[in-house]
Amino acid sequence: MKCKYAIKALINLAGNYQKGYVHTADIATEENIPKKFLEQILLDMKHAKIVNSKQGSKGGYYLLKNPKEVSVADVYRVFDGAIALLPCVSLNFYEKCDDCKDEKACSLRREFIKIREGSRLVMSKISIQSFLKPNKKLVKK
Amino acid sequence: MKCKYAIKALINLAGNYQKGYVHTADIATEENIPKKFLEQILLDMKHAKIVNSKQGSKGGYYLLKNPKEVSVADVYRVFDGAIALLPCVSLNFYEKCDDCKDEKACSLRREFIKIREGSRLVMSKISIQSFLKPNKKLVKK
DNA sequence: ATATATTCTACTTATTTGATAGAATTTATA
DNA sequence: TATAAATTCTATCAAATAAGTAGAATATAT
């Protein structure tokens, strides 16, 4: 949910990219997200340097980077942590297996790295911009 | 954990493919898995038709299918459910979004299908057999 | 000053996860 | 046929996580 809400919020902010501040309340109503929950989500993304904000009257949130430069992988890592299925194959959230003696020889690790790469690559290629582009329709001859 | 344990157990069973029954207790000690927990895991995989068992003395578990025919995707779905990040893009665990009016027009759905396919393809290609093959070493010239 | 917005901390409730416990059932075999 | 050894089933538990709520604190424009 958090990740889905986050991406919906970012799509909304992308629509207002470089056009000023957007209120949490507006995003909440437009995207059908509980307002108080969205506040937390946006704050998390501020800490992750994906968005920025201004407090007070006429304040609000705005997208820090170009929509092309914000990938689903970036957002996923903020809210769901590692893309990898095992901590020992994670690039950003690595943790050693306590039972594993020799990582280099571990076949579990060897294969799960492939899975991580499959997911990571596709999630890195999809950006907030990707959600804005309308689905291209093929014209029949 | 369940999924990891399950794959370790299957690798163990694959080593005994078509060689008779293997005791849960033996797998538990060899693979360092809590025995009672492993019992549940193996039972789940029996219900999923991945392994089969015989009760009683001289009983135990055995792999039903060729190790090549059991993919990580199969195992994942038993223990973690959908590979897809959103229920509305899942092939095996589909659920409609209650807020979504037009699925075909939903850009979230369009892009998350790509993510599902990325993960699904790589997880379908890796089988229990893949874990048995030793990592090929390149010989230096 | 005041209205309006974000920020921060704490809390609640429900679900999931990892694991344990023990009785019931099945089977081989002595 | 009794018994030992295995799976099967159901229930339970504690800890962690997820989804969401509440309210006070802070910042800012007017």
Side-chain angles (χ1 to χ4, degrees), chain A residues 100-115:
Chain A
C100 189
K101 289 161 199 164
D102 183 4
E103 263 192 6
K104 285 193 73 175
C106 178
S107 72
L108 225 64
R109 187 175 142 81
R110 189 212 321 141
E111 298 302 320
F112 272 70
I113 284 175
K114 295 179 190 169
I115 299 175

Side-chain angles (χ1 to χ4, degrees), chain A residues 4 33 42 65-66 91 94 118 123 128:
Chain A
K4 180 184 172 184
I33 304 170
L42 286 169
K65 295 191 270 186
N66 190 300
L91 292 174
Y94 172 85
M123 286 175 79
I128 297 303

Side-chain angles (χ1 to χ4, degrees), chain B residues 10 15 21 28 50 66 70 81 98 106 109 114 117 121:
Chain B
L10 289 173
Y21 303 104
I50 294 173
N66 191 299
V70 182
D98 38 351
C106 178
R109 187 175 143 81
K114 295 178 190 168
E117 280 308 282
L121 279 175

Side-chain angles (χ1 to χ4, degrees), chain B residues 7-97:
Chain B
I7 288 172
K8 289 184 93 174
L10 289 173
I11 294 170
N12 192 296
L13 287 176
N16 282 61
Y17 184 52
Q18 294 181 327
K19 289 181 193 164
Y21 303 104
V22 184
H23 301 154
T24 308
D26 292 341
I27 302 176
T29 19
E30 284 166 32
E31 306 296 342
N32 205 37
I33 303 169
K35 193 203 161 200
K36 273 293 193 178
F37 197 30
L38 179 59
E39 280 179 14
Q40 280 188 137
I41 291 164
L42 286 169
L43 197 53
D44 285 341
M45 290 202 282
K46 179 180 182 173
H47 295 149
K49 306 262 163 80
I50 294 173
V51 300
N52 204 357
S53 69
K54 193 170 76 169
Q55 278 197 149
S57 183
K58 309 267 161 142
Y61 281 90
Y62 60 95
L63 197 54
L64 256 184
K65 295 191 271 184
N66 191 299
K68 278 182 219 159
E69 306 303 319
V70 182
S71 74
V72 172
D74 296 333
V75 182
Y76 187 91
R77 288 198 187 97
V78 172
F79 296 101
D80 298 276
I83 288 172
L85 298 181
L86 296 178
C88 69
V89 302
S90 172
L91 292 173
N92 293 265
F93 300 85
Y94 173 83
E95 270 180 74
K96 191 164 71 81
C97 290

